[in-house]
Amino acid sequence: MHELSIAMSIVDIASRKADEASAEKVTLVELDIGIMSGIEFISLEFALSVAVKDSILEGTRFKINRIEPLCECSSCNHLYTPGQDFGACPECGKQEIEFIRGKELQIKSLLIDQKE
Amino acid sequence: MCDTCGCGQEGNPVRISRPGETDLHQDHSHNHDHDQNNSHTHDSVHSHDHSHDHPHQKMIRIEEDILGKNNLLASRNSGFFEAKDIVALNLMSSPGSGKTTLLERTIEAVKESRKLAVIEGDQQTMNDAERIHRTGVPVVQINTGNGCHLDAEMIHRAVKKLDPPQESILFIENVGNLVCPSLFELGEKSRIVIISVTEGDDKPLKYPTMFQQAQVCIINKIDLLPYVDFNMEKARENALAVNPKLELFELSAKTGEGMDHWIQWILTREP
């Protein structure tokens, strides 16, 4: 259940940024989470609902962008979407997989209501 | 908020102890007052949409790594290790793969030639620290309460208490779990993932994140190969499919078979 630690980090960072921008309210938090980042999405949504309690993010909507994995073959630079068996490069057949997308764990943006 | 159980109380339930210290078995006890509507409100994540215009609404771009704070602390740990010529190794596996036995045998084999120190991580009990303590190597136990992984802050605190000697090898035995620990850098030099032949040979495919982040994979309990349906070739293939750079060791910590290569690897570690 590391999603709770992740959710708390999200709330910490977003609250700090909201505070720096003199936000009265945070309407939306946009996250980029890679499919291969090791996060269970349902758990993260649940953890966020718990982690926002008593923070400026209580009632905030979370938009979670699921980033699909993309690999590059280190041998021939072919780009491909890895299957569940992390099979060899469909172009050259070598097993030299390098993830270039799909491991994101990032807060992308906040939508805030600013104080008068 | 407490990140052990997510309740509203402050405080750090993580406990760091040396073998023989007293207050070790206090429970992580928070009072959860269910009268005050403390129940989880899953719906609230998706509610509160506002369709009307907000005159003072503003978009702030952040693009900040969610694990940034942990990674920063991990870099601090790493800098400390570097300054003291300490080689920190993060050992990760499912519960029951034989991490602690492997560690005991490794310690026996190298303690005459290298200075050693150990940080043990478990949710509860001092059992593993007591086992390591009997080898004569300095050890501290981190009890994470309900936490499923060690993080850089826990290591920072444990290292302060342990005070590992200059030029030592510091073994960090993570909480038994093949998922969560893979996300949290500790400041280690290398990550070692251990599986045993009593688990499936498809473990690397089922838990790719762990195997992708590791530099070394140990396949333990090979003495049990005749009794289990474990295809070693397939396991190696799967591990290398997920991470082609993995260095693989096949061994039995119990019988000592295959331990030589692993010990050689340990002895050649340089900070």
Side-chain angles (χ1 to χ4, degrees):
Chain A
M1 191 49 189
H2 58 299
E3 284 79 5
L4 190 55
S5 310
I6 300 289
M8 286 170 59
S9 295
I10 293 169
V11 171
D12 273 357
I13 296 167
S15 302
R16 176 167 42 83
K17 293 285 179 185
D19 195 45
E20 283 169 14
S22 309
E24 195 165 52
K25 193 173 156 238
V26 181
T27 313
L28 181 82
V29 176
E30 190 181 4
L31 307 169
D32 276 355
I33 309 287
I35 303 267
M36 295 302 302
S37 67
I39 293 290
E40 186 56 56
F41 287 85
I42 294 172
S43 302
L44 178 62
E45 286 183 13
F46 173 73
L48 280 169
S49 72
V50 178
V52 294
K53 278 205 177 300
D54 302 322
S55 78
I56 191 172
L57 299 186
E58 212 163 344
T60 297
R61 192 166 84 87
F62 286 91
K63 182 180 176 221
I64 302 177
N65 305 322
R66 297 173 180 229
I67 313 294
E68 294 290 333
L70 186 70
C71 288
E72 183 174 11
C73 171
S74 319
S75 186
C76 74
N77 300 329
H78 178 63
L79 296 177
Y80 64 104
T81 308
Q84 282 209 319
D85 61 349
F86 297 91
C89 169
E91 200 67 18
C92 74
K94 289 232 174 86
Q95 189 61 261
E96 290 180 25
I97 199 166
E98 191 96 46
F99 275 86
I100 57 171
R101 215 161 63 201
K103 290 186 165 279
E104 294 77 1
L105 267 181
Q106 206 183 55
I107 303 189
K108 224 178 154 192
S109 65
L110 299 183
L111 194 60
I112 60 163
D113 288 353
Q114 271 183 321
K115 288 172 190 158
E116 292 285 332
Chain B
M1 183 186 291
C2 138
D3 83 340
T4 295
C5 64
C7 69
Q9 292 196 13
E10 290 297 328
N12 197 332
V14 173
R15 188 172 295 113
I16 297 171
S17 339
R18 284 201 185 90
E21 282 180 350
T22 45
D23 66 337
L24 309 173
H25 302 289
Q26 297 163 10
D27 283 321
H28 168 48
S29 57
H30 290 325
N31 294 322
H32 294 260
D33 190 346
H34 291 287
D35 294 338
Q36 294 180 352
N37 194 20
N38 267 346
S39 58
H40 306 311
T41 50
H42 184 48
D43 290 345
S44 67
V45 174
H46 301 290
S47 60
H48 303 275
D49 269 329
H50 294 259
S51 53
H52 54 272
D53 290 333
H54 290 273
H56 302 289
Q57 225 173 38
K58 187 182 167 192
M59 157 85 85
I60 316 172
R61 297 213 71 81
I62 295 189
E63 295 185 357
E64 191 167 318
D65 189 344
I66 294 167
L67 287 170
K69 194 175 154 194
N70 184 75
N71 295 346
L72 192 67
L73 273 171
S75 305
R76 263 178 58 181
N77 291 344
S78 166
F80 173 81
F81 296 144
E82 240 178 83
K84 291 193 78 175
D85 289 328
I86 293 169
V87 180
L89 303 174
N90 182 2
L91 276 62
M92 297 177 286
S93 79
S94 342
S97 67
K99 278 194 303 297
T100 314
T101 304
L102 175 67
L103 199 46
E104 286 173 317
R105 300 289 180 271
T106 307
I107 288 170
E108 293 301 342
V110 301
K111 71 176 180 187
E112 299 305 325
S113 31
R114 291 291 291 259
K115 282 183 274 187
L116 305 172
V118 176
I119 295 172
E120 280 288 340
D122 281 299
Q123 288 195 328
Q124 303 289 346
T125 85
M126 291 289 291
N127 294 355
D128 284 359
E130 302 288 0
R131 283 172 64 179
I132 300 300
H133 183 60
R134 286 195 281 274
T135 67
V137 165
V139 56
V140 294
Q141 176 83 46
I142 301 176
N143 285 133
T144 59
N146 291 326
C148 50
H149 58 267
L150 298 179
D151 64 29
E153 207 252 329
M154 294 179 204
I155 296 304
H156 171 72
R157 288 170 56 201
V159 162
K160 266 190 172 171
K161 183 150 191 147
L162 178 63
D163 193 16
Q166 189 105 11
E167 294 172 17
S168 59
I169 297 175
L170 171 63
F171 293 103
I172 302 168
E173 186 180 333
N174 218 310
V175 178
N177 180 334
L178 218 44
V179 183
C180 314
S182 66
L183 273 76
F184 295 85
E185 284 180 29
L186 306 178
E188 70 275 58
K189 174 104 179 163
S190 303
R191 292 180 172 204
I192 296 149
V193 56
I194 299 145
I195 55 171
S196 60
V197 302
T198 53
E199 303 167 48
D201 46 38
D202 57 354
K203 268 280 152 79
L205 298 182
K206 285 180 171 168
Y207 300 94
T209 313
M210 178 60 79
F211 290 83
Q212 280 163 355
Q213 309 283 20
Q215 285 77 44
V216 173
C217 173
I218 292 176
I219 304 176
N220 192 17
K221 305 191 189 179
I222 56 169
D223 54 307
L224 297 179
L225 273 173
Y227 311 105
V228 292
D229 293 325
F230 185 91
N231 184 333
M232 185 60 83
E233 249 344 278
K234 198 82 205 145
R236 294 183 69 97
E237 210 175 277
N238 288 338
L240 292 173
V242 170
N243 180 355
K245 292 182 189 133
L246 263 185
E247 201 167 340
L248 290 158
F249 295 92
E250 298 166 25
L251 55 84
S252 164
K254 193 177 172 189
T255 65
E257 190 185 349
M259 283 289 283
D260 304 2
H261 286 109
W262 162 243
I263 296 302
Q264 201 49 42
W265 186 88
I266 290 286
L267 288 175
T268 49
R269 285 315 92 195
E270 277 172 24

